[in-house]
């Protein structure tokens, strides 16, 4: 299974690590080939389209990781 995961793009590997493979594949099926905007935590609720699609907790996990990585990039660019 790890050999398969290693062949995925880094962004999908992160989603699999944070959630699971089925969640990542749902996102690929719905949004594959597009830039996917993950809303800010303030804008996320259980009625959001992505929350319905992958689950609220999975959406929060992905958003939290995206925010963490963004902060690391800001520090490195200073």
């Amino acid at each position: 299974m790890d050999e398969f995961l290693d062949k995925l793009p880094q962004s999908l590997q992160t989603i699999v690590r944070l959630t699971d493979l089925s969640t990542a594949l749902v996102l690929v099926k719905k949004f594959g080939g597009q830039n996917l905007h993950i809303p800010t935590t303030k804008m996320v609720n259980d009625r959001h389209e992505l929350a319905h699609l992958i689950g609220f907790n999975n959406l929060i996990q992905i958003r939290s990781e995206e925010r963490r990585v963004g902060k690391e990039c800001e520090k490195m660019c200073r």
Side-chain angles (χ1 to χ4, degrees):
M1 181 67 146
D2 286 338
E3 290 177 29
F4 169 75
L5 295 178
D6 290 342
K7 293 179 181 175
L8 292 174
Q10 187 62 45
S11 57
L12 285 179
Q13 288 181 31
T14 300
I15 292 171
V16 170
R17 182 175 48 79
L18 293 171
T19 60
D20 56 41
L21 181 59
S22 66
T23 298
L25 294 177
V26 165
L27 289 173
V28 168
K29 184 176 180 182
K30 176 86 175 171
F31 300 103
Q34 302 176 31
N35 287 329
L36 179 60
H37 172 73
I38 304 295
T40 62
T41 306
K42 290 180 183 179
M43 301 301 291
V44 172
N45 61 46
D46 60 350
R47 295 182 307 256
H48 191 278
E49 176 188 14
L50 286 173
H52 279 286
L53 189 65
I54 64 172
F56 180 75
N57 291 335
N58 287 335
L59 180 55
I60 293 298
Q61 280 289 102
I62 293 167
R63 176 62 189 145
S64 295
E65 178 69 4
E66 183 179 71
R67 187 169 182 216
R68 183 191 68 75
V69 169
K71 286 183 177 184
E72 284 181 13
C73 288
E74 285 179 9
K75 287 179 186 177
M76 290 174 26
C77 291
R78 290 183 189 164

